[in-house]
Amino acid sequence: MSQSEHLRQNAGHCLTLEDTAANDAARKQFRSMGDAWLALAETQEWLDGATPPVSRPQPQSADLIPMPTQGRSS
């Protein structure tokens, strides 16, 4: 079993516990833990080269906000 599969299995355990939790606070905690395990699994897959890095669009010049220059007066 790969490291990412193991992490996903841990997430699955948390989601199972969420379904059987006694109250809302416990359900929210198990959901949060499951989400964290899934995030770790996705990161591990990226580190292993199984998923490509997220590509971000390059900003266009119209998207850039000009910074004021110091020391100049108009």
Side-chain angles (χ1 to χ4, degrees), residues 16-65:
T16 299
L17 291 170
E18 177 190 9
D19 290 338
T20 61
N23 56 52
D24 285 340
R27 275 189 283 284
K28 288 179 184 178
Q29 184 65 36
F30 287 127
R31 169 59 68 158
S32 177
M33 290 169 57
D35 290 344
W37 282 113
L38 285 175
L40 286 170
E42 290 170 1
T43 300
Q44 186 63 50
E45 288 171 346
W46 175 77
L47 289 170
D48 292 341
T51 58
V54 175
S55 63
R56 297 182 182 196
Q58 296 297 318
Q60 303 298 317
S61 60
D63 296 334
L64 301 177
I65 300 171

